[in-house]
Amino acid sequence: LLQPNVYPGNCWAFQGHQGQVVIRLPARVYLTAITVQHITKDVSPSGTIISAPKDMAVFGVDADKGETLLGMFSYNVEKDPVQTFPLKNMLLPRAFSQVKLLVKSNWGNPWYTCIYRVKVHGKMEEQ
């Protein structure tokens, strides 16, 4: 997730097609979007990217109030490898100290799922 490059195989991999990661933010942030990146078929040694995440959910996490669902979306392997998804925090503007990415499925790999990069977008809460 925080790798300096996106070379094939240099990813955050987890077993199976479901997994989650919680990212601690450097400050409380009003979250607006999340970007997920995977490699393309062209650079994949196998010529496929079935290990890419498919259906995902994003939650804002706060120690006091727990988790708040901010959006559900699907990564499309036929589109650009860097995909940004707007979050629903605009309806309930609240700053969060952590963000949780829940991967519900991938594009068909039964053994593992890979995510090459995740970027969190938003505005830091003023101190």
Side-chain angles (χ1 to χ4, degrees):
L1 288 168
L2 300 174
Q3 300 299 323
N5 58 56
V6 287
Y7 296 128
N10 193 17
C11 67
W12 173 63
F14 57 87
Q15 187 174 358
H17 64 276
Q18 294 182 332
Q20 65 183 23
V21 63
V22 177
I23 301 166
R24 184 173 34 190
L25 303 171
R28 293 178 55 80
V29 176
Y30 294 96
L31 302 169
T32 57
I34 191 162
T35 297
V36 177
Q37 183 175 356
H38 198 273
I39 60 172
T40 63
K41 292 177 191 173
D42 299 342
V43 299
S44 172
S46 68
T48 69
I49 50 175
I50 61 173
S51 67
K54 185 176 181 184
D55 296 315
M56 295 176 272
V58 175
F59 298 84
V61 181
D62 199 347
D64 301 345
K65 299 176 182 164
E67 298 178 355
T68 301
L69 178 65
L70 299 177
M72 295 173 49
F73 52 89
S74 293
Y75 183 88
N76 187 335
V77 294
E78 299 301 325
K79 292 187 175 181
D80 190 272
V82 180
Q83 297 176 27
T84 300
F85 305 95
L87 300 176
K88 298 177 187 172
N89 199 19
M90 300 304 170
L91 302 176
L92 178 72
R94 197 164 96 215
F96 296 97
S97 56
Q98 299 175 339
V99 62
K100 178 169 110 175
L101 176 65
L102 173 66
V103 178
K104 298 175 160 189
S105 65
N106 68 20
W107 283 91
N109 190 317
W111 300 286
Y112 63 90
T113 301
C114 281
I115 297 179
Y116 281 82
R117 185 157 294 148
V118 172
K119 296 178 185 177
V120 178
H121 307 273
K123 184 175 188 305
M124 289 195 332
E125 182 179 60
E126 294 185 22
Q127 302 298 325

